[in-house]
Amino acid sequence: MPENPYRFPYPSPELASDHPYRDLNFEPKTPAEMRQAGISFRDDLLTRRSVRMIAPDPVPLELIDLAIEAGSSAPSGAHRQPWRFVVTGDPEVKRKIREAAEEEERTNYLENRMNAEWQEALAPLGTDYHKEFLEVAPWIVVLFEERFGINPDGSRRKNYYVKESCGIAAGMFITALHRMGLTTLTHTPSPMAFLTKVLGRPDNERPFVLFPIGYPMPGVQVPDLARKPLDEVRVIVGDLPE
């Protein structure tokens, strides 16, 4: 084992005396095992696609809950976990969400709330203001960001790095759905305030992203888009370690 380069073992004695800690129980892998695990995970995620034609076939709630638990394992500012995954499979609630979303999106697409450049960027995806998937998909999950917490006495409790934390949780949620064999897409109708009303959420929460979830329709096709190669998304600064 290399010599400990830190001033003291982590956590410091002062910190450990005030807060509970436990061993990490980290199980190291060989370089070959790590490489294979990385390749397998990468190759699986490269097959993930956003799907707008979702089948109405039922999906067990247990699978949604498993994905939420995976998403909630995300790191968050001061471990506040400032998110709420709000789930509905109720046809009437889904209808209300679709109607409100399409009203906003109709304004975006047809009344130029989205400028020409934005619409041109979306053109390869084949999207418009019609959002049938919001009613057809068996589940809708809306991730709300908790802007601030509420203490038992009703006072506010500050949350930290809320958007960053929710973004990570959303990514891990999507990954969990994909790994289980479900499909989804990130839908962010703009503005999204109607979701707070339809879903009866409190003022300290704000809609972050909406996920319709289910199986893909048989024979569904998706845009034939390529992802950026490694050398376009990774930059190395300085000398490489020996």
Side-chain angles (χ1 to χ4, degrees), residues 25-145:
N25 294 324
F26 177 75
E27 295 184 7
K29 294 181 173 66
T30 67
E33 289 172 333
M34 289 190 288
R35 182 176 185 276
Q36 185 53 50
I39 290 173
S40 176
F41 189 68
R42 178 204 63 190
D43 289 351
D44 181 38
L45 288 190
L46 285 175
T47 69
R48 187 210 60 78
R49 297 302 301 267
S50 295
V51 174
R52 289 170 173 79
M53 304 228 7
I54 298 174
D57 306 54
V59 171
L61 176 60
E62 179 188 11
L63 300 183
I64 305 301
D65 287 343
L66 287 170
I68 291 173
E69 288 179 321
S72 291
S73 72
S76 60
H79 194 56
R80 291 285 201 248
Q81 298 180 274
W83 47 67
R84 292 290 183 278
F85 290 85
V86 180
V87 183
T88 186
D90 184 287
E92 181 63 16
V93 176
K94 292 192 296 180
R95 182 188 64 78
K96 291 179 179 179
I97 290 175
R98 176 188 176 181
E99 289 177 351
E102 287 188 338
E103 182 178 348
E104 296 293 352
E105 295 288 70
R106 188 180 294 107
T107 301
N108 288 337
Y109 280 91
L110 302 183
E111 299 181 20
N112 298 320
R113 186 188 284 166
M114 295 191 306
N115 60 35
E117 182 180 8
W118 190 353
Q119 295 203 38
E120 182 181 354
L122 291 173
L125 304 181
T127 64
D128 61 20
Y129 68 85
H130 295 97
K131 307 299 177 186
E132 296 93 339
F133 52 77
L134 294 175
E135 264 191 283
V136 177
W139 296 105
I140 287 178
V141 175
V142 181
L143 173 56
F144 282 78
E145 57 179 91

Side-chain angles (χ1 to χ4, degrees), residues 196-208:
T196 300
K197 180 178 180 180
V198 172
L199 295 171
R201 302 312 301 161
D203 292 340
N204 66 319
E205 296 179 11
R206 181 163 37 201
F208 187 75

Side-chain angles (χ1 to χ4, degrees), residues 1-23:
M1 292 290 292
E3 183 180 350
N4 183 358
Y6 298 97
R7 289 173 295 149
F8 43 71
Y10 186 81
S12 67
E14 295 82 6
L15 187 62
S17 65
D18 294 331
H19 302 278
Y21 274 77
R22 62 175 176 82
D23 290 339

